[in-house]
């Protein structure tokens, strides 16, 4: 009989099973605790991974600066802007600013409160993303600049001036309107990057390899490089693409050629599996790329950038083309440029209609004018859905070309 009324006597084996260090009950309880602990650990890790992922996403997404002022200014002139002719084709204006504002840019000169477009490239992405064509616009090109809004709110009068005057007086909106007036091409998006951002991007991919046909000793650009294959860090790359008077023939055309070759090498480096498939290397690239950008509002997010570039991965490097708009010395000032006609209009018309073009290092006409010729080569057939007319050939190069070969 139990010592305590109402308390049933335990089964003969109950105390042993419950108290024994090797009993089945203890094993079951340990198993349940282990399962609960494992589930909790996995849950914590998943939440931590999701949280870390969100933090990374939020940081990268917040890096990009939206150019709201340009969007508002362009909206004022919507009725006079060209319309897009081909669904799916995209035109971006890439602007390299020579602003000295900010810690990373001050060592390149005094900040006078103004900035100019050190480099401007019109990037055309074909519908279906069969090709990408980057057209350099010389900063000394004489163009009609419309009346634009200054940073202080005042407005300029329309004038005939050097192309980089547009960015200096009216920023990206004025530059876009100038390009649209010059080419008749609708600019869908724009990006502005400064010296510091350019350097960060190059350093983030662990440098970019180029090939030099001769050594460089340039005090102004602070470059001292041997001939042959050379990997440039961010500071060296900036000096290489900006140097003008001491490299090559000292012309702006030669400078733009160097910029195009460097961009081709950068494209190859970023697209390499070593970068895109390695999260440790990819994050700093994304961080550098996003933190250095000022873009139109639709592009000012990771989603916007992803939607834009996701189709670019499949473009063959031989279809990533670089050229300079057909230009020659301005008739009234040899230190300025003017368009070569009708070559320039032929180029603009084909970009507007998303018709193919070809590039070559040498073309039959005088290369000094960047002239174009019509090519009957089978390799120059039109893309599906475009004009079957022969693709004109302009002096330029592709991302598949290497100077050392």
């Amino acid at each position: 009989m139990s010592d305590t009324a109402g308390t049933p006597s335990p089964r003969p084996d109950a105390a042993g099973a419950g108290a024994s260090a090797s009993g089945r009950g203890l094993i079951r309880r340990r198993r349940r605790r282990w399962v609960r602990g494992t589930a909790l650990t996995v849950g914590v890790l998943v939440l931590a991974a999701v949280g870390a992922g969100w933090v990374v996403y939020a940081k990268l997404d917040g890096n990009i600066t939206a150019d709201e002022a340009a969007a508002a200014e362009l909206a004022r002139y919507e009725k006079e802007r060209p319309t897009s002719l081909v669904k799916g084709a995209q035109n971006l204006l890439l602007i390299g600013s020579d602003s000295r504002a900010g810690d990373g840019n001050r060592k390149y000169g005094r900040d006078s409160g103004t900035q100019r477009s050190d480099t401007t490239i019109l990037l055309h992405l074909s519908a279906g993303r069969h090709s990408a064509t980057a057209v350099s616009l010389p900063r000394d090109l004489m163009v009609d600049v419309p009346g634009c809004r200054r940073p202080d709110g005042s407005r300029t009068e329309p004038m005939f001036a050097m192309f980089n005057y547009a960015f200096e007086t009216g920023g990206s909106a004025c530059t876009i309107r100038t390009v649209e007036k010059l080419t008749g091409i609708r600019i869908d998006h724009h990006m502005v990057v400064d010296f510091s951002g350019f350097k960060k991007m190059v350093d983030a991919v662990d440098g970019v390899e180029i090939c030099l046909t001769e050594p460089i000793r340039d005090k102004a650009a602070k470059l001292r490089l041997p001939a042959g294959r050379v990997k440039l860090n961010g500071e060296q790359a900036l000096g290489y693409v900006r140097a003008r008077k001491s490299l090559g023939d000292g012309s702006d055309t030669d400078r733009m050629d160097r910029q195009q070759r460097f961009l081709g090498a950068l494209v190859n480096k970023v697209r390499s599996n070593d970068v895109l498939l390695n999260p440790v290397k990819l994050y700093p690239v994304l961080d550098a790329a996003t933190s250095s950008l000022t873009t139109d509002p639709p592009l000012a997010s990771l989603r916007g950038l992803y939607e834009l570039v996701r189709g670019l991965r499949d473009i063959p490097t031989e279809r990533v083309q670089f050229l300079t708009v057909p230009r020659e010395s301005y008739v009234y000032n040899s230190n300025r440029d003017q368009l070569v006609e009708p070559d320039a209009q032929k180029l603009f018309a084909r970009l507007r209609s998303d018709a193919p073009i070809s590039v070559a290092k040498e073309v039959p006409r005088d290369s000094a004018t960047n002239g174009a010729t019509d090519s009957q080569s089978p390799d120059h057939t039109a893309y599906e859905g475009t004009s079957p007319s022969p693709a004109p050939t302009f002096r330029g190069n592709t991302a598949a070309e290497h100077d050392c070969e």
Side-chain angles (χ1 to χ4, degrees):
M1 184 174 179
S2 172
D3 294 334
T4 306
T7 301
S9 299
R11 298 197 315 270
D13 63 341
S20 170
S22 58
R24 290 190 298 275
L26 179 59
I27 294 173
R28 284 194 295 271
R29 286 197 297 272
R30 285 178 174 174
R31 183 180 295 118
R32 286 194 295 269
R33 286 198 299 268
W34 182 85
V35 171
R36 288 196 298 269
T38 302
L40 180 61
T41 301
V42 171
V44 170
L45 290 176
V46 169
L47 289 174
V50 171
W54 173 250
V55 170
V56 169
Y57 180 90
K59 180 182 186 304
L60 295 176
D61 199 57
N63 279 348
I64 309 169
T65 301
D67 198 347
E68 300 286 357
E73 179 71 358
L74 291 172
R76 289 174 54 95
Y77 296 94
E78 180 59 38
K79 291 184 179 180
E80 71 178 35
R81 299 182 64 194
T83 57
S84 299
L85 300 181
V86 180
K87 183 179 180 180
Q90 293 275 293
N91 296 295
L92 291 84
L93 199 64
L94 310 178
I95 304 171
S97 167
D98 72 352
S99 171
R100 269 63 172 183
D103 294 338
N105 300 312
R106 288 172 182 161
K107 66 179 180 179
Y108 300 106
R110 296 177 59 186
D111 178 20
S112 62
T114 62
Q115 56 182 346
R116 291 173 294 181
S117 49
D118 198 59
T119 300
T120 304
I121 295 175
L122 172 61
L123 177 62
H124 175 76
L125 306 176
S126 68
R129 301 303 182 261
H130 301 289
S131 70
T133 303
V135 181
S136 295
L137 301 173
R139 61 184 183 180
D140 294 340
L141 186 67
M142 299 301 294
V143 297
D144 289 311
V145 179
C148 295
R149 184 182 184 277
R150 293 190 181 98
D152 64 4
S154 63
R155 292 194 170 270
T156 65
E157 293 295 326
M159 67 182 303
F160 187 64
M162 289 192 303
F163 174 65
N164 66 354
Y165 172 79
F167 192 71
E168 179 181 358
T169 58
S172 52
C174 190
T175 302
I176 290 168
R177 292 178 57 216
T178 301
V179 171
E180 290 183 340
K181 184 178 181 66
L182 179 72
T183 66
I185 297 171
R186 171 80 176 209
I187 303 301
D188 302 293
H189 301 290
H190 70 277
M191 300 180 181
V192 182
V193 62
D194 60 16
F195 294 157
S196 179
F198 176 83
K199 292 192 303 178
K200 287 179 181 178
M201 185 65 184
V202 174
D203 286 334
V205 297
D206 191 29
V208 174
E209 186 179 83
I210 62 169
C211 191
L212 300 175
T213 56
E214 57 185 26
I216 294 179
R217 302 289 186 269
D218 189 313
K219 291 184 178 180
K222 298 181 180 178
L223 287 178
R224 187 178 181 86
L225 302 170
R229 293 185 183 276
V230 180
K231 186 166 78 169
L232 304 181
N233 62 28
E235 191 71 41
Q236 293 169 324
L238 182 63
Y240 177 73
V241 300
R242 293 193 67 235
R244 183 177 184 179
K245 297 181 179 180
S246 57
L247 296 184
D249 61 10
S251 68
D252 206 33
T253 297
D254 184 78
R255 176 174 173 267
M256 287 183 290
D257 286 347
R258 267 185 284 114
Q259 292 173 350
Q260 292 163 9
R261 290 194 298 271
F262 182 85
L263 289 175
L266 179 60
V267 167
N268 282 326
K269 185 63 178 287
V270 172
R271 287 182 54 168
S272 70
N273 289 342
D274 188 43
V275 173
L276 294 180
L277 299 183
N278 187 333
V280 175
K281 293 186 177 181
L282 182 58
Y283 174 77
V285 173
L286 292 175
D287 189 32
T290 54
S291 64
S292 66
L293 288 180
T294 297
T295 76
D296 56 285
L299 275 190
S301 68
L302 286 180
R303 180 180 294 275
L305 289 175
Y306 174 75
E307 291 296 325
L308 175 68
V309 305
R310 65 178 177 175
L312 303 183
R313 295 171 297 180
D314 299 325
I315 299 178
T317 52
E318 62 270 18
R319 283 295 181 187
V320 179
Q321 304 175 129
F322 300 90
L323 68 147
T324 298
V325 64
R327 43 74 55 201
E328 62 187 359
S329 294
Y330 180 46
V331 64
Y332 298 113
N333 186 338
S334 60
N335 293 319
R336 303 289 180 262
D337 292 328
Q338 65 185 26
L339 296 179
V340 172
E341 300 295 4
D343 294 354
Q345 293 308 316
K346 180 186 294 185
L347 171 64
F348 300 151
R350 295 194 70 90
L351 294 179
R352 280 196 301 270
S353 61
D354 198 32
I357 65 169
S358 294
V359 296
K361 289 184 178 180
E362 299 294 337
V363 292
R365 287 184 55 182
D366 182 6
S367 62
T369 63
N370 288 349
T373 60
D374 289 331
S375 172
Q376 300 290 341
S377 168
D379 291 336
H380 300 147
T381 54
Y383 303 120
E384 182 179 356
T386 62
S387 170
S389 60
T393 300
F394 295 85
R395 191 174 71 84
N397 61 87
T398 73
E401 297 173 19
H402 303 283
D403 289 342
C404 287
E405 297 177 355

